[in-house]
Structures are given as structure tokens and as C-alpha cells.
Amino acid sequence: MVASRVRARILSPAGGEDLLARIDAWLAAMATLHPVAGADHEEAAALVRRFDLGLRAPDALHLAICRCIALPLLTFDLRQA
């Protein structure tokens, strides 16, 4: 999303780099990163094949990761929620 805003000239390249640095700092301080595993991809593939859910691959992968580590998915996307 940051890169697309830089390309659209909503953010300057320096502004994009600053924003990414602040995001990286927040992640380092506040988040635990979960490496994407084969089981996550398998779960995502199963979710995408559920046509009634209407999930796109990136959304399915986020949901699969949350399911595999037993944490809730937080989203601003009302359809995905």
C-alpha cells in the first residue's frame, strides 16, 4: 500500500521510506512475526476452493495463518470480516 501511494504521488519517496521505517519500528516493538509455513498455504488453498466464501488468495492466506496459530483476524474489510 505504501509503494502504491508513492507511485500515485500521494507520498514522496522520502515520506514512503519514513512511513515504512515507522511501521518496522512498531512491528519490532509490538508484534510477533509468524513465518508462513506449508500448512498455512494448504489451509489457504482449501479456503480459496470454498467458493461460498469468495476469498481472494491473499485474504485466504491471512485467514489461514490466523487459524493455524489460533489468533483472531483483525480487519477493516467488512466483507472479509
Side-chain angles (χ1 to χ4, degrees), residues 31-42:
T32 301
L33 299 181
H34 170 75
V36 180
D40 299 320
H41 289 283
E42 291 170 13

Side-chain angles (χ1 to χ4, degrees), residues 5-73:
R5 290 177 185 239
V6 171
R7 286 191 303 272
R9 299 177 197 245
I10 297 168
L11 277 175
S12 68
E17 289 175 14
D18 178 62
L19 180 55
L20 289 174
R22 289 188 288 138
I23 291 169
D24 289 341
W26 181 85
L27 285 172
M30 303 298 294
T32 301
L33 299 181
H34 170 75
V36 180
D40 299 320
H41 289 283
E42 291 170 13
E43 176 76 12
L47 290 169
V48 168
R49 290 172 183 260
R50 292 232 359 236
F51 301 124
D52 60 311
L53 297 176
L55 287 172
R56 296 168 294 180
D59 295 336
L61 186 56
H62 291 140
L63 183 56
I65 291 167
C66 289
R67 289 174 63 161
C68 285
I69 61 176
L71 289 174
L73 174 68

